[in-house]
């Protein structure tokens, strides 16, 4: 018989090898050395079905970072102004990367604490090695207490439900437009002739597909992530080339006619751009199976840099190419800048259709986000469990129920905001998303290091220690985050 862990990387199981076999037999003292050697070997071996390569880790990160921004941000850049938007994209991207290193360090500290508590550390393996998936909500419980875990779970839920809702909505609308143009040569013809809303039908279909993927684990999507990562990169360059092509052959909008910084749109710019850089809640699920561990920095740094350059190029070229146009995009190109940027290219033969189906690639991101919400939900309900109990399989019924709890609210959000997709970005990307990206990682690192010091962990040996963990940097980031969240509250309570 051959057995495979049902729970994928969530259980990142230790092998049951010869050490376990010999423990069930009576041994004489001369066999003690052999037993100890075999037991240590067993502790080092992991289930190889759960590992992912640095390239797959890069693709997962790109699929998260660039799953929304390339088609949601160009209109935000036009509304908020190029200088304000580019400045905030740059600053927020740097902050997001810094605080992501905080999450990586916190995960290593939590794994070290688990090993010390269970006595499972070995001389051959660093105590800070990623061997167990510990979600951000559980990090809060380990470093602080259960109320902190509950608050973290709520914060993650609000943010991720908004991300899921947006992706479901954007995908359904783009599918509807693309199919309509393929059949009738008019992206809105289906809306005109059908007795029901085709966007809503596509929303139902895509939600059902997402539900199937939500029943698995991160590691189960490795092939999907690699394929979609390649296709997404191709489409990103087509989006960039489309904007540049329009500038070269149709002319660019004069700079004096464009907004540079419209601070009345600050809330829109703040929420939408913050939304793009929130990936911290999924970082533990990417880090734990990534092997070799020392390549984690390369995967994250390259994904952030690539994502930033692509977003900068697509958004800037999109504004210069289409911001001043007024004609619609039903049958003509170039046309006025759309809320979903890929729809600007729907009238271009072949290439336009490929780009119009770009949001379908969210199929690779939906399971990652859904599994993150599901895992946090299950851990909140079940509570933090000891090492041995945490390896027990989550039943299929539990996965199904938690998957429904994950996707049904996201579907409702998508349906409610189907006529104003930008507002969904603002509401879920402002305070909750920004707090999850900035303030929470800083607090986790502060309390995580206190916990490590109390347990006398050798932090100098931690290869995952953040190079940005100086108290002055932590304090500055927290103050910056609190000030920005306070500004958002001010905008909310101000009369329109």
């Amino acid at each position: 018989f051959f057995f495979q862990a049902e729970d994928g990387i969530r259980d990142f199981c230790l092998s049951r090898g010869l050490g376990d076999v010999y423990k069930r037999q009576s041994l004489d003292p001369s066999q003690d050395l052999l037993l100890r050697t075999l037991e240590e070997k067993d502790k080092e071996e992991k289930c190889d079905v759960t590992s992912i390569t640095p390239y797959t880790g890069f693709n997962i990160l790109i699929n998260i970072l660039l799953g929304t921004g390339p088609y949601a941000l160009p209109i935000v850049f036009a509304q908020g102004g190029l200088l304000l938007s580019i400045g905030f994209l740059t600053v927020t991207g740097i902050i997001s990367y810094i605080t992501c290193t905080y999450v990586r360090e916190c995960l290593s500290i939590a794994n070290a604490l688990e090993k010390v508590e269970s006595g499972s550390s070995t001389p051959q393996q660093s105590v800070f090695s990623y061997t167990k998936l510990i979600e951000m909500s559980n990090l809060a419980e380990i470093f602080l207490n259960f109320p902190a875990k509950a608050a973290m779970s709520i914060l993650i839920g609000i943010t991720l439900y908004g991300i899921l809702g947006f992706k479901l909505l954007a995908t359904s609308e783009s599918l509807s437009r693309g199919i309509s143009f393929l059949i009738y040569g008019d992206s809105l013809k289906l809306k005109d002739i059908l007795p029901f809303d085709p966007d809503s039908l596509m929303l139902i279909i895509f939600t059902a597909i997402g539900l199937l993927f939500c029943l698995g684990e991160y590691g189960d999507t490795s092939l999907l992530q690699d394929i979609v990562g390649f296709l997404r990169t191709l489409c990103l360059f087509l989006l960039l080339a489309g904007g540049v092509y329009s500038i070269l052959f149709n002319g660019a909008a004069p700079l004096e006619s464009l907004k540079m910084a419209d601070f009345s749109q600050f809330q829109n710019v703040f929420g939408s751009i913050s939304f793009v850089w929130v990936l911290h809640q999924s970082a533990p699920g990417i880090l734990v199976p990534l092997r070799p561990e020392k390549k984690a920095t390369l995967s994250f740094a390259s994904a952030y840099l690539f994502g930033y350059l692509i977003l900068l190029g697509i958004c800037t070229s999109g504004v210069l190419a289409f911001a001043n146009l007024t004609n619609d995009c039903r049958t003509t190109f170039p046309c006025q800048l759309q809320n979903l940027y890929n729809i600007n290219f729907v009238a271009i033969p072949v290439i336009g259709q490929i780009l119009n189906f770009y949001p379908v690639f969210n199929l690779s991101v939906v399971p990652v986000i859904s599994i993150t919400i599901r895992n946090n939900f299950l851990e909140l309900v079940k509570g933090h469990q000891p090492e041995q109990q945490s390896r027990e399989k989550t039943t299929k019924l539990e996965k199904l129920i938690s998957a429904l709890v994950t996707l049904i609210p996201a579907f409702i959000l998508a349906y409610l905001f189907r006529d104003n997709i930008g507002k969904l970005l603002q509401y879920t990307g402002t305070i909750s998303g920004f707090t999850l990206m900035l303030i929470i990682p800083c607090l986790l690192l502060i309390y995580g290091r206190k916990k490590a010091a109390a347990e006398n962990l050798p932090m100098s040996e931690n290869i995952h220690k953040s190079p940005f963990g100086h108290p002055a940097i932590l304090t500055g980031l927290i103050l910056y985050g609190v000030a920005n969240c306070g500004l958002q509250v001010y905008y909310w309570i101000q009369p329109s």
Side-chain angles (χ1 to χ4, degrees):
F1 295 93
F2 297 89
F3 296 91
Q4 178 173 313
E6 179 183 352
D7 273 351
I9 68 166
R10 191 163 183 264
D11 289 331
F12 207 73
C13 53
L14 300 173
S15 64
R16 188 170 177 80
L18 292 177
D20 287 324
V21 174
Y22 284 120
K23 275 192 284 185
R24 292 193 292 268
Q25 302 178 13
S26 56
L27 300 174
D28 59 58
S30 64
Q31 295 174 301
D32 282 349
L33 178 59
L34 173 62
L35 174 59
R36 286 195 299 271
T37 302
L38 291 172
E39 285 179 336
E40 288 179 355
K41 180 177 177 59
D42 292 345
K43 289 180 180 179
E44 286 187 88
E45 294 176 351
K46 313 293 188 298
C47 297
D48 56 6
V49 298
T50 65
S51 63
I52 62 174
T53 65
Y55 175 69
T56 298
F58 171 85
N59 282 328
I60 296 175
L61 290 166
I62 287 299
N63 286 333
I64 296 174
L65 284 174
L66 300 180
T68 300
Y71 57 88
L73 288 188
I75 188 67
V76 174
F77 270 54
Q79 294 168 344
L82 280 176
L83 291 182
L84 177 63
S85 301
I86 291 174
F88 201 77
L89 179 74
T90 304
V91 172
T92 310
I94 293 172
I95 289 175
S96 176
Y97 177 76
I98 290 174
T99 56
C100 205
T101 67
Y102 294 170
V103 175
R104 290 167 52 193
E105 180 177 338
C106 289
L107 182 62
S108 69
I109 293 173
N111 268 271
L113 293 172
E114 290 277 350
K115 292 185 183 73
V116 170
E117 181 181 351
S118 63
S120 59
S121 60
T122 65
Q124 291 80 12
Q125 181 185 64
S126 170
V127 71
F128 295 103
S129 179
Y130 298 138
T131 53
K132 180 181 179 183
L133 173 58
I134 303 173
E135 299 287 0
M136 280 186 70
S137 58
N138 266 355
L139 292 177
E141 183 180 24
I142 292 171
F143 299 154
L144 293 164
N145 48 42
F146 182 79
K149 174 182 179 177
M152 176 78 75
S153 298
I154 294 171
L155 193 66
I156 290 174
I158 293 173
T159 304
L160 295 190
Y161 279 135
I163 294 175
L164 264 184
F166 178 86
K167 293 183 183 300
L168 293 175
L169 184 57
T171 303
S172 60
E173 182 176 337
S174 293
L175 275 174
S176 174
R177 298 281 189 96
I179 292 172
S180 179
F181 192 88
L182 280 175
I183 298 174
Y184 300 105
D186 184 337
S187 62
L188 295 176
K189 187 68 174 179
L190 276 178
K191 279 183 173 288
D192 296 337
I193 64 175
L194 290 178
F196 57 87
D197 183 12
D199 292 359
S200 298
L201 176 62
M202 293 299 170
L203 179 61
I204 294 172
I205 293 174
F206 195 70
T207 302
I209 295 173
L211 179 64
L212 295 177
F213 279 99
C214 188
L215 297 176
E217 294 294 337
Y218 299 100
D220 300 333
T221 69
S222 293
L223 180 60
L224 176 68
Q225 300 295 340
D226 287 342
I227 294 173
V228 171
F230 171 78
L231 295 176
R232 187 188 295 278
T233 301
L234 173 64
C235 287
L236 289 171
F237 283 112
L238 288 176
L239 280 173
L240 184 60
V244 173
Y245 172 87
S246 183
I247 292 172
L248 293 177
F249 290 92
N250 299 298
L255 288 179
E256 59 270 18
S257 67
L258 299 174
K259 293 181 181 180
M260 288 295 113
D262 184 354
F263 286 94
S264 67
Q265 293 289 322
F266 179 77
Q267 188 177 19
N268 179 26
V269 174
F270 178 92
S272 300
I273 292 180
S274 297
F275 189 95
V276 170
W277 292 112
V278 179
L279 56 80
H280 303 63
Q281 69 287 335
S282 297
I286 300 170
L287 288 166
V288 171
L290 195 151
R291 291 296 182 269
E293 288 185 37
K294 62 183 179 181
K295 297 290 186 180
T297 298
L298 177 63
S299 289
F300 275 73
S302 57
Y304 266 89
L305 180 60
F306 179 79
Y308 170 76
L309 293 176
I310 288 294
L311 287 172
L312 182 64
I314 288 176
C315 294
T316 303
S317 62
V319 171
L320 293 174
F322 307 114
N324 282 357
L325 300 181
T326 57
N327 54 304
D328 66 58
C329 297
R330 293 185 67 154
T331 58
T332 58
F333 175 87
C335 55
Q336 65 182 347
L337 193 58
Q338 299 292 295
N339 288 333
L340 294 177
Y341 183 55
N342 57 296
I343 295 176
N344 270 86
F345 305 94
V346 69
I348 302 177
V350 183
I351 292 177
Q353 295 312 298
I354 293 174
L355 293 178
N356 200 54
F357 284 95
Y358 177 87
V360 178
F361 296 149
N362 282 326
L363 188 63
S364 67
V365 183
V366 167
V368 174
I369 298 173
S370 300
I371 291 168
T372 300
I373 298 176
R374 187 201 70 200
N375 287 353
N376 278 278
F377 170 75
L378 286 173
E379 288 171 356
L380 181 63
V381 173
K382 289 183 172 183
H384 184 58
Q385 299 174 335
E387 177 79 9
Q388 183 63 32
Q389 294 181 24
S390 67
R391 296 179 193 159
E392 295 178 358
K393 297 180 178 64
T394 302
T395 67
K396 292 182 179 179
L397 178 61
E398 287 176 326
K399 284 187 176 182
L400 177 60
I401 293 174
S402 55
L404 291 172
V405 170
T406 296
L407 282 171
I408 289 178
F411 171 83
I412 294 173
L413 277 175
Y415 185 79
L416 292 176
F417 285 90
R418 64 190 184 281
D419 295 325
N420 199 340
I421 194 170
K423 287 294 182 182
L424 184 57
L425 280 177
Q426 291 181 40
Y427 292 152
T428 57
T430 50
I431 293 180
S432 62
F434 197 73
T435 301
L436 184 60
M437 178 188 71
L438 200 161
I439 300 176
I440 294 301
C442 292
L443 295 177
L444 285 177
L445 185 63
I446 291 172
Y447 286 98
R449 285 184 171 180
K450 287 183 178 179
K451 193 83 171 180
E455 296 294 334
N456 295 317
L457 295 180
M459 290 297 293
S460 60
E461 301 175 8
N462 187 359
I463 64 170
H464 303 296
K465 186 176 181 179
S466 171
F468 310 105
H470 191 279
I473 298 177
L474 284 165
T475 303
L477 289 176
I478 292 174
L479 291 176
Y480 175 76
V482 171
N484 272 285
C485 289
L487 189 59
Q488 293 306 307
V489 173
Y490 170 78
Y491 278 118
W492 278 357
I493 62 178
Q494 281 291 101
S496 57

